[in-house]
Amino acid sequence: MATRAYVLIETAIGKTQSVVETLRRMPGVVAADAVTGPYDVIIVVETRDPNEVGKLVMNQIHGLEGVNHTLTCLTI
């Protein structure tokens, strides 16, 4: 069974659209949408296990230009 998580992302001013476009091309990202509110982007991630979610967020998403902060919520 796959592990699903919602990742809430705060972006730098003017970077939201480019972050969304990059995230939509990433393996493991099922959906990426710009939103209003305290966060700028919400993505849905599906991987084989919870460790893969962590690796994706820490090794790939955090390194994207324009990503300031993330909050990862694993589904139960």
Side-chain angles (χ1 to χ4, degrees):
M1 182 181 216
T3 298
R4 178 179 278 191
Y6 296 90
V7 183
L8 291 72
I9 302 169
E10 180 184 299
T11 63
I13 294 171
K15 296 292 185 181
T16 300
Q17 191 58 39
S18 64
V19 168
V20 168
E21 290 170 5
T22 301
L23 289 167
R24 286 181 176 160
R25 294 189 301 269
M26 256 185 209
V29 175
V30 177
D33 295 297
V35 296
T36 60
Y39 290 90
D40 303 302
V41 178
I42 297 178
I43 65 171
V44 179
V45 172
E46 285 187 359
T47 63
R48 292 176 296 182
D49 62 65
N51 291 327
E52 293 296 316
V53 171
K55 289 177 185 175
L56 175 65
V57 172
M58 291 179 64
N59 297 336
Q60 295 181 31
I61 295 171
H62 281 180
L64 290 178
E65 182 182 344
V67 171
N68 289 345
H69 176 77
T70 65
L71 174 67
T72 303
C73 305
L74 290 171
T75 62
I76 54 173

